[in-house]
Amino acid sequence: MDIQSKSAQEVRRISYEARQLKPIIELAEKAHAGQTRRDGFTPAITHPQTVAKIVRQNGGSAEAIQVAWLHDVLEDSDTKIHQIENAGGSRRVQEAVIILTHPRHEPYIEYIERVRTNGLARTVKIADIKANLAGSPSNHAVGKYINALNILNA
């Protein structure tokens, strides 16, 4: 295959992935509309955007990028799993988003151990922690995240 054919093939692949991602991003934007980060003014959607960027930069799959955009929607909004399916999220994407949803009653370490069992969820959680560490977390949070990364990378 010549270089032009490879380039055209890559452009088609990227275009296809972008079309798949558009409804996922729209769902994330709807779910986080009006929400802010802990600072009270940064739009919440910037977090999944950052996580998706980290996943992409680390060679994550199209499904991993979808999960990154959606990783907080079940936990932080009234979004339901069928809405992820309606936006084009595969069963694997839906499962990873469910796994990444941290029930308030579940101890954090048990949650991390559960996340570790799913490749997509694990990939996104590592990116999520990296994004959180870049946001000036407290000393307590830094310790929690370092411990989680050690478990996820084991």
Side-chain angles (χ1 to χ4, degrees):
M1 184 179 289
D2 65 24
I3 293 174
Q4 283 184 324
S5 295
K6 283 184 179 179
S7 295
Q9 198 173 31
E10 181 67 7
V11 167
R12 283 192 296 277
R13 183 190 63 77
I14 291 169
S15 177
Y16 174 74
E17 288 178 6
R19 284 193 310 274
Q20 281 187 306
L21 196 53
K22 186 174 188 260
I24 297 289
I25 293 171
E26 289 171 349
L27 179 59
E29 289 172 338
K30 180 180 175 188
H32 295 297
Q35 297 176 355
T36 59
R37 298 286 289 153
R38 287 192 179 107
D39 64 15
F41 62 88
T42 304
I45 193 65
T46 62
H47 176 67
Q49 181 180 36
T50 300
V51 174
K53 181 179 179 183
I54 293 168
V55 168
R56 176 175 276 129
Q57 288 172 339
N58 288 299
S61 67
E63 284 185 318
I65 293 166
Q66 290 180 6
V67 174
W69 276 101
L70 298 172
H71 76 277
D72 282 335
V73 299
L74 298 181
E75 191 172 324
D76 294 345
S77 75
D78 61 358
T79 301
K80 305 295 182 221
I81 198 68
H82 74 272
Q83 292 173 279
I84 294 173
E85 181 179 13
N86 292 344
S90 69
R91 290 272 182 222
R92 286 173 35 93
V93 167
Q94 294 170 55
E95 180 181 311
V97 173
I98 290 168
I99 290 169
L100 285 163
T101 302
H102 182 193
R104 298 198 193 294
H105 68 276
E106 183 178 34
Y108 186 73
I109 295 302
E110 288 178 26
Y111 161 69
I112 293 299
E113 290 286 354
R114 186 167 50 81
V115 167
R116 189 175 76 155
T117 67
N118 179 282
L120 281 174
R122 182 182 163 279
T123 294
V124 172
K125 190 61 187 176
I126 289 169
D128 179 37
I129 291 170
K130 288 178 180 179
N132 287 333
L133 283 169
S136 302
S138 67
N139 288 337
H140 171 75
V142 169
K144 178 176 90 167
Y145 293 146
I146 297 298
N147 190 29
L149 285 173
N150 288 333
I151 292 167
L152 292 168
N153 287 317

